[in-house]
Amino acid sequence: QVQLQESGPGLVKPSQTLSLTCTVSGGSITTNYYYWTWIRQPPGKGLEWIGYINWGGGTLYSPSLKSPTSISRDTSKNQFTLLLNSVTPEDTAVYYCARRPRLSTYWDYWGQGIQVTVSS
C-alpha cells in the first residue's frame, strides 16, 4: 500500500547538480520508524547505497560517494529529495528510492527507478 515514485531529469551535464525527488503515497515520511533511502545501480554493477533521511529528518550518507551529497524533505508534500553536486559520468546509474523499517535488514518498498545519464 506504500508507493514510492522517483522523478527528475534523465540527462545531466558534468559539473551540474543532480536533483531527484521521491514522492511517497500510502504512508507519511514522518511516521515512526522508517528510513527513506536513495540507492543507485551503475551499468554492469551492483546496488550502491547513497544515504537516507529518517522519520525525524536525520540524515546519513555513504562515505564512498565522490560527489557532495545531501538529502532533504518536504513533509507537506510527503517528498524527499536527493542532491548530488558536481556530478561526473561515474554518477550515471538507475536511481531508486526505498523504505527501510527500523531494525530491518532490507527495504520493504521500492520505487520503480529512474535512469540518470551524466554526459556532455
Side-chain angles (χ1 to χ4, degrees):
Q1 61 198 63
V2 175
Q3 294 182 321
L4 295 83
Q5 177 66 61
E6 303 90 347
S7 61
L11 181 64
V12 183
K13 295 183 181 298
S15 80
Q16 292 185 337
T17 297
L18 171 64
S19 178
L20 297 174
T21 295
C22 184
T23 301
V24 179
S25 61
S28 173
I29 61 174
T30 65
T31 296
N32 299 342
Y33 298 91
Y34 296 102
Y35 297 91
W36 303 93
T37 310
W38 285 101
I39 302 159
R40 69 182 181 184
Q41 186 170 32
K45 298 182 179 180
L47 295 171
E48 179 184 22
W49 180 77
I50 297 172
Y52 68 67
I53 186 164
N54 68 18
W55 60 94
T59 56
L60 184 66
Y61 309 106
S62 171
S64 300
L65 296 174
K66 297 180 179 179
S67 300
T69 306
S70 66
I71 299 174
S72 60
R73 67 180 184 174
D74 186 337
T75 58
S76 68
K77 297 180 179 179
N78 213 36
Q79 296 176 329
F80 62 104
T81 297
L82 170 68
L83 294 178
L84 199 63
N85 212 346
S86 302
V87 298
T88 74
E90 293 183 341
D91 294 309
T92 294
V94 177
Y95 285 75
Y96 300 92
C97 55
R99 187 185 82 166
R100 180 175 66 82
R102 186 181 64 170
L103 303 180
S104 177
T105 60
Y106 65 96
W107 293 270
D108 56 357
Y109 290 96
W110 292 69
Q112 65 183 1
I114 182 170
Q115 173 69 51
V116 176
T117 300
V118 180
S119 176
S120 61

